Amino acid sequence: MRGIPDRADTRNPATHRADTFGPNGKNQPLAKQRATRSVGCDGRAGELSCRSQKLMLQAGLIHPASPGCYHYLPPTVRAMEKLIRVMDEEMQAVGGQKVNMPSLSSAELWHASGRWNKMGTELFRLEDRHGKEYCLGPTHEEAVTELVAAHSNLSYKQLPLRLYQITRKFRDEPKPRFGLLRSREFYMKDMYTFDTSEEAARQTYKLVCDAYCSLFDRLGLPFVKVQAATGNIGGTMSHEFQLPADVGEDRLVLCPDGHFAANVEMLNGERTSCPTCGEKLIQTRGIEVGHTFYLGTKYSSISNAVFCSPENKPQLAEMGCYGLGVTRILAASIEVLSTEDNIRWPSLITPYQLCFIPPKRGSKEEEEGAALLDRLYNDLAEVLPHLAGDSVLDDRTQLTIGKRLKDANKLGYPYVIVAGKRVCEDPSVFEVWNQNAGEVLFLTKEGVIELLSKAQVP
Amino acid sequence: MRGIPDRADTRNPATHRADTFGPNGKNQPLAKQRATRSVGCDGRAGELSCRSQKLMLQAGLIHPASPGCYHYLPPTVRAMEKLIRVMDEEMQAVGGQKVNMPSLSSAELWHASGRWNKMGTELFRLEDRHGKEYCLGPTHEEAVTELVAAHSNLSYKQLPLRLYQITRKFRDEPKPRFGLLRSREFYMKDMYTFDTSEEAARQTYKLVCDAYCSLFDRLGLPFVKVQAATGNIGGTMSHEFQLPADVGEDRLVLCPDGHFAANVEMLNGERTSCPTCGEKLIQTRGIEVGHTFYLGTKYSSISNAVFCSPENKPQLAEMGCYGLGVTRILAASIEVLSTEDNIRWPSLITPYQLCFIPPKRGSKEEEEGAALLDRLYNDLAEVLPHLAGDSVLDDRTQLTIGKRLKDANKLGYPYVIVAGKRVCEDPSVFEVWNQNAGEVLFLTKEGVIELLSKAQVP
Ligand SMILES: [Zn+2]
Ligand SMILES: [Zn+2]
């Protein structure tokens, strides 16, 4: 882990000791230095802008590159890859096929849909060496519709078609802020669906919304699904998935009994009571983490994306599009789950499940304790290899156990296993901190393995 | 699979039946239509430019978007994700930590290294809404060095530092061509290493080169490692990993006994005999799939990327950088392994391992054969779940088995399992085509499972 005094010992390659490039060592005032840079880079005087940004910078999860653009450091990449795996599962469970579309998107496409002008300064625009114009895709309705339209002999039997990608997107935000919550480069999961009829498209819409609910449930994130405005994407029906949070940029109104939930943006005028039960609506703020649109034939009619009907006639596909902010979900999770000082992740996507803390250098447990912890790790690796590969060894043994435990708590490892005072008892006893439960257990090696086997570690 | 007449049956969700969006059905003249588009898009009159491009377009693996930019369709995304997994293993085995750096790279960084001008028209350049200049990163020496320089209290104990990413890169090629072999958007694995001394950096260099050899060995790709010019990346030592192929754009000279291998680009004048044994050098062409550079302090001195030496003095890090073309390796593999008509993949990264072919509609085996194949699939899913998730069911039962077998051969599934004439015998006998060995076996259900358990399917 950080501040590693010696990297010679690589007996356990699966244990990530080498996150020298992750969390900043406390013996090294990097956090301060980083915070300063971040302030400079984001052009904000004074303090950092929100909890997740502050925590992610301090913990070495992200590092600013230019306004609204961040380097994702190793723990963030791990969390992101885990999140992507969950998204893949959910999308493939609803018949999603994964594709990958270029970032460079030709101006012609956007002129045809009218969005080249409509998107204004939010589009990053550029010319190639031949003077041909492109934008960097913030979303891919035009591109995917062209792709499907090019398959001109598509039969109704081949629909529904549900294509998705998880790629980097670009948006020239007027004020990039809040770290990964509103950045200019970000990762998004975007799905585009093609159906034979409005009815079929509405079924698809429901199916994908349910998949989104399942995803947020699995992550253990409290969310609300609200009616939303369609904006410049267009279409006739739209919902947002919002995580309630003070820092959220959207204002929401919710019926306390769940009859009604909307982004105030989409309401004509003010609404203070539920249209169903008349109860006073609750006002809250939310971070938008997902957005769904029923598009109808808006894009398919532009590109002539047709399929061959049972009557053998060309017919426009009914479309939907569906976005999930990948990097935004990472930051929003930290925003809503963490305390002011301590990061908490959804356990499904935590960068590491386990942290091992060997005894302090020079303590009387030093040698035996380190060896016993090593043996525990090896036995664990045999029984639960996946978990072993998801571990960090904090071998900054110049620091006390207490100091390292505090850091582990800040970084939010779900389980911290300490070779403390009782490790030299017979049989040895390890301290196991379950951070989410906020409890400590004293367990033998077998006890630790049993606990972790039973724990719902993904 | 393609041309699916009926998608109602989703009993086996793990079986990918739904690649309606992959290979074009032969009953649908998509290949022709695509080829035409490709010609238009790539601005080349006449035929397609190389085997891999032709095969990948025909098989529905890629679809042109704009010159040198392709949509990657579902089988390609599967192959790419498998390849990325292998790269992750190899990079992590040499202590690589995975990061992810922005595509937008500020002009200031490139001015500081002198490459803003040196790179000329190959850089895609753009301005944001405030008129600030950026390029789209083709490579990230400047960015990563800044990142490391920002961690100003790095100790010698924390080195070597080996950071890598696998992300989309951009290069405004004068003539994008050969499909994914030379495109303007592509995926690259790039690693950057930081060491305390030249000696340590040379050890790192050797280690990463060995990892590259291991990768190509595991993929079963014949490669040569040749001395190379350092170009505008700079540095004092460089090697390329080349796959010998006629379509390759690099000219190589090789000693038949392996003493010497070089890209002719890096030679001063012509060399016809081996400097060690004097033998006549073999001339060949190659596709560059990897490139390594020993950089010294070229970039660290610009950004002041220092570490704290044992004497507690700041000292410039010795750097190396190492690239592997991800999408290029996919195309190059197809280029060198395929026949003119039939795609062959390295088995480690083939999009799907298995293809199941049920009986033709209306045949006397139709019902029983389909049910028996289903049962085989289910049993396989229990014993080899990973393999079951790597399967395609070709249920275009309106086509003969022979026709579908021919298509399966074109697409290069390593194993094709057919419920043919002998499926109704007692016990049932399946035809198993091992495409790489070019042989067919007649096996019972148990025999099939045993064969696949033993086969080195990844
Ligand atoms: Zn109500
Ligand atoms: Zn020789």
Side-chain angles (χ1 to χ4, degrees):
Chain A
M1 228 187 78
R2 50 231 166 107
I4 294 176
D6 180 346
R7 303 189 64 235
D9 176 2
T10 50
R11 279 167 299 167
N12 293 334
T15 307
H16 295 261
R17 307 174 63 232
D19 264 3
T20 53
F21 219 70
N24 44 289
K26 279 301 152 295
N27 46 345
Q28 301 166 11
L30 271 185
K32 208 172 158 195
Q33 184 256 339
R34 271 182 196 149
T36 316
R37 284 182 65 82
S38 153
V39 169
C41 279
D42 282 0
R44 319 190 109 239
E47 77 236 273
L48 293 163
S49 64
C50 70
R51 180 173 289 178
S52 62
Q53 181 176 14
K54 175 178 147 269
L55 289 171
M56 293 183 85
L57 286 165
Q58 279 179 353
L61 295 176
I62 55 174
H63 187 87
S66 54
C69 299
Y70 287 88
H71 298 289
Y72 309 148
L73 299 182
T76 302
V77 172
R78 290 180 65 90
M80 186 160 94
E81 292 189 342
K82 289 183 180 185
L83 178 57
I84 287 174
R85 227 169 293 147
V86 180
M87 288 183 179
D88 280 336
E89 287 166 15
E90 293 293 340
M91 292 302 102
Q92 284 164 19
V94 295
Q97 299 184 64
K98 199 170 186 179
V99 298
N100 188 318
M101 296 184 268
S103 288
L104 290 168
S105 193
S106 127
E108 294 151 33
L109 270 181
W110 293 76
H111 278 303
S113 71
R115 292 209 290 175
W116 185 259
N117 296 321
K118 208 183 260 178
M119 295 283 290
T121 45
E122 278 200 11
L123 273 189
F124 277 110
R125 294 157 205 257
L126 71 161
E127 286 183 8
D128 71 7
R129 59 164 72 222
H130 306 295
K132 194 166 145 37
E133 288 183 300
Y134 294 87
C135 69
L136 297 179
T139 171
H140 288 69
E141 285 77 16
E142 286 85 353
V144 76
T145 313
E146 269 293 297
L147 174 63
V148 170
H151 291 71
S152 57
N153 283 26
L154 212 59
S155 155
Y156 71 95
K157 297 175 190 166
Q158 292 172 279
L159 302 190
L161 200 53
R162 294 170 183 148
L163 304 176
Y164 78 102
Q165 61 175 353
I166 301 179
T167 55
R168 192 177 287 180
K169 308 294 193 296
F170 301 83
R171 183 166 288 147
D172 198 355
E173 292 287 348
K175 286 193 183 172
R177 57 192 177 281
F178 301 147
L180 300 196
L181 288 183
R182 186 165 291 280
S183 49
R184 299 202 296 174
E185 278 196 49
F186 50 96
Y187 276 79
M188 194 165 94
K189 188 288 301 168
D190 42 332
M191 179 181 256
Y192 305 91
T193 61
F194 299 83
D195 274 280
T196 55
S197 68
E198 188 179 328
E199 197 199 333
R202 287 182 185 275
Q203 276 177 13
T204 291
Y205 189 89
K206 189 181 175 314
L207 204 63
V208 181
C209 283
D210 288 351
Y212 280 18
C213 293
S214 160
L215 178 106
F216 292 115
D217 281 339
R218 288 173 67 188
L219 294 176
L221 292 172
F223 70 96
V224 282
K225 179 184 166 193
V226 304
Q227 296 176 39
T230 54
N232 61 35
I233 301 261
T236 57
M237 176 171 64
S238 178
H239 290 89
E240 286 166 357
F241 291 77
Q242 297 266 0
L243 303 191
D246 289 342
V247 76
E249 301 188 65
D250 289 295
R251 289 198 302 132
L252 317 175
V253 285
L254 315 170
C255 160
D257 294 334
H259 302 115
F260 181 81
N263 189 320
V264 297
E265 236 177 56
M266 73 85 63
L267 299 173
N268 298 321
E270 215 178 342
R271 171 169 280 288
T272 55
S273 61
C274 172
T276 302
C277 69
E279 281 243 39
K280 189 158 179 277
L281 294 175
I282 298 165
Q283 301 213 1
T284 181
R285 292 190 152 270
I287 303 170
E288 180 196 332
V289 285
H291 205 152
T292 59
F293 298 86
Y294 171 65
L295 297 171
T297 57
K298 175 180 169 180
Y299 293 92
S300 55
S301 62
I302 296 165
S303 295
N304 198 35
V306 295
F307 62 93
C308 196
S309 76
E311 295 75 33
N312 220 19
K313 294 214 174 104
Q315 201 174 313
L316 292 175
E318 292 278 335
M319 290 178 57
C321 75
Y322 309 86
L324 282 176
V326 177
T327 38
R328 189 181 283 177
I329 289 174
L330 294 182
S333 300
I334 292 178
E335 190 71 35
V336 303
L337 299 179
S338 303
T339 67
E340 200 180 323
D341 293 318
N342 297 328
I343 292 179
R344 289 296 175 270
W345 293 93
S347 67
L348 212 52
I349 61 170
T350 178
Y352 299 97
Q353 288 292 343
L354 298 182
C355 176
F356 290 85
I357 300 184
K360 185 172 189 314
R361 192 183 302 160
S363 67
K364 71 177 187 325
E365 301 84 17
E366 180 179 3
E367 273 185 41
E368 197 184 342
L372 287 162
L373 199 64
D374 225 46
R375 210 171 305 156
L376 167 60
Y377 174 81
N378 288 332
D379 289 0
L380 193 71
E382 254 179 50
V383 187
L384 302 166
H386 179 67
L387 203 52
D390 225 5
S391 302
V392 163
L393 175 67
D394 187 348
D395 59 358
R396 297 174 305 160
T397 52
Q398 74 276 21
L399 302 180
T400 61
I401 284 177
K403 173 79 184 118
R404 284 177 285 161
L405 200 47
K406 199 175 157 198
D407 282 349
N409 192 29
K410 277 176 103 70
L411 294 170
Y413 305 107
Y415 290 92
V416 185
I417 300 170
V418 179
K421 290 272 168 258
R422 297 181 53 190
V423 75
C424 295
E425 288 179 12
D426 188 13
S428 353
V429 173
F430 299 91
E431 290 176 28
V432 181
W433 293 79
N434 176 339
Q435 307 258 43
N436 292 320
E439 66 177 11
V440 59
L441 298 168
F442 292 87
L443 298 170
T444 60
K445 186 176 76 175
E446 291 70 25
V448 175
I449 292 173
E450 197 191 338
L451 173 79
L452 295 173
S453 306
K454 281 186 196 157
Q456 289 298 329
V457 282
Chain B
M1 229 186 79
R2 51 235 167 103
I4 292 175
D6 180 347
R7 303 188 65 231
D9 176 2
T10 50
R11 277 166 302 166
N12 293 333
T15 308
H16 295 261
R17 309 173 61 232
D19 264 2
T20 52
F21 220 71
N24 46 288
K26 281 299 153 296
N27 46 343
Q28 301 164 11
L30 273 184
K32 207 172 159 195
Q33 183 257 339
R34 272 184 195 146
T36 316
R37 285 183 63 84
S38 153
V39 169
C41 278
D42 282 358
R44 318 190 108 238
E47 76 237 272
L48 293 163
S49 63
C50 69
R51 179 174 291 179
S52 61
Q53 182 176 14
K54 175 178 147 270
L55 289 171
M56 291 183 85
L57 286 167
Q58 281 179 352
L61 296 175
I62 55 174
H63 186 87
S66 54
C69 299
Y70 287 88
H71 298 289
Y72 309 148
L73 299 182
T76 302
V77 172
R78 289 180 65 90
M80 185 160 95
E81 292 190 342
K82 289 183 180 184
L83 177 56
I84 287 174
R85 228 170 292 148
V86 180
M87 287 184 179
D88 281 335
E89 286 167 15
E90 292 294 340
M91 292 302 103
Q92 284 163 20
V94 296
Q97 299 183 64
K98 199 171 187 180
V99 297
N100 188 317
M101 295 185 269
S103 290
L104 290 168
S105 192
S106 128
E108 295 151 31
L109 271 180
W110 293 76
H111 278 303
S113 70
R115 292 210 289 175
W116 185 259
N117 297 321
K118 207 182 262 177
M119 295 283 289
T121 45
E122 278 200 12
L123 274 189
F124 277 109
R125 294 158 207 256
L126 71 161
E127 287 185 6
D128 71 7
R129 60 164 72 221
H130 306 295
K132 194 166 147 37
E133 287 183 301
Y134 293 87
C135 69
L136 297 178
T139 172
H140 288 70
E141 286 77 15
E142 286 85 352
V144 77
T145 313
E146 269 293 297
L147 174 64
V148 170
H151 290 72
S152 58
N153 283 26
L154 212 58
S155 155
Y156 71 96
K157 297 174 190 168
Q158 292 172 280
L159 302 188
L161 200 53
R162 294 168 184 151
L163 304 176
Y164 78 101
Q165 62 176 354
I166 301 178
T167 54
R168 190 178 288 180
K169 307 295 194 293
F170 301 83
R171 183 165 289 148
D172 197 355
E173 292 287 349
K175 286 192 186 173
R177 56 191 178 282
F178 301 148
L180 301 195
L181 288 182
R182 186 164 292 278
S183 49
R184 300 202 294 174
E185 279 197 47
F186 50 96
Y187 275 78
M188 194 166 93
K189 188 287 302 169
D190 41 332
M191 179 181 253
Y192 306 90
T193 62
F194 299 82
D195 273 280
T196 56
S197 68
E198 187 178 329
E199 197 198 333
R202 287 183 185 275
Q203 277 177 12
T204 292
Y205 189 89
K206 188 179 175 314
L207 204 62
V208 181
C209 284
D210 289 350
Y212 280 17
C213 294
S214 159
L215 178 106
F216 292 115
D217 281 339
R218 288 173 66 190
L219 293 176
L221 292 172
F223 70 96
V224 282
K225 180 183 165 194
V226 304
Q227 296 175 39
T230 55
N232 61 32
I233 301 262
T236 57
M237 175 170 66
S238 179
H239 290 88
E240 286 166 355
F241 290 76
Q242 297 265 1
L243 303 192
D246 289 341
V247 75
E249 302 187 64
D250 290 295
R251 290 198 301 132
L252 317 175
V253 285
L254 314 170
C255 160
D257 295 333
H259 301 117
F260 181 81
N263 188 320
V264 296
E265 237 177 53
M266 72 85 64
L267 299 174
N268 298 319
E270 215 178 344
R271 172 169 278 288
T272 53
S273 61
C274 173
T276 302
C277 69
E279 281 242 37
K280 186 155 181 280
L281 294 175
I282 298 165
Q283 301 213 2
T284 180
R285 292 190 154 268
I287 304 169
E288 181 196 333
V289 284
H291 205 152
T292 59
F293 299 85
Y294 172 66
L295 296 171
T297 57
K298 175 179 169 179
Y299 293 91
S300 54
S301 63
I302 295 166
S303 295
N304 199 35
V306 296
F307 62 94
C308 197
S309 75
E311 296 75 33
N312 219 18
K313 294 215 175 105
Q315 202 173 312
L316 292 174
E318 293 277 336
M319 290 177 58
C321 74
Y322 309 85
L324 283 176
V326 178
T327 38
R328 190 180 284 177
I329 289 173
L330 294 182
S333 300
I334 291 178
E335 191 70 36
V336 303
L337 298 179
S338 303
T339 66
E340 200 180 323
D341 293 318
N342 298 329
I343 292 179
R344 287 297 175 271
W345 293 92
S347 66
L348 213 51
I349 61 170
T350 177
Y352 299 97
Q353 288 291 344
L354 299 182
C355 176
F356 290 86
I357 300 184
K360 185 172 188 314
R361 194 183 302 160
S363 68
K364 72 176 189 319
E365 302 85 17
E366 180 179 4
E367 273 185 41
E368 196 183 341
L372 287 162
L373 199 64
D374 225 46
R375 209 173 303 156
L376 167 61
Y377 174 81
N378 288 332
D379 288 0
L380 192 71
E382 254 179 51
V383 188
L384 304 166
H386 179 68
L387 202 52
D390 226 4
S391 302
V392 163
L393 174 68
D394 188 348
D395 59 358
R396 298 174 304 159
T397 52
Q398 74 275 21
L399 302 180
T400 62
I401 285 178
K403 173 78 183 119
R404 284 177 285 161
L405 201 47
K406 199 175 158 199
D407 282 348
N409 192 28
K410 278 176 102 70
L411 295 170
Y413 305 107
Y415 291 92
V416 185
I417 301 170
V418 179
K421 290 273 170 257
R422 296 182 55 190
V423 75
C424 295
E425 289 179 11
D426 187 14
S428 350
V429 173
F430 299 90
E431 290 176 26
V432 181
W433 293 79
N434 177 338
Q435 307 257 42
N436 292 321
E439 66 176 11
V440 59
L441 297 168
F442 292 87
L443 298 171
T444 60
K445 186 176 76 176
E446 291 69 27
V448 176
I449 292 175
E450 196 191 337
L451 173 80
L452 295 173
S453 307
K454 280 186 197 157
Q456 289 297 329
V457 282

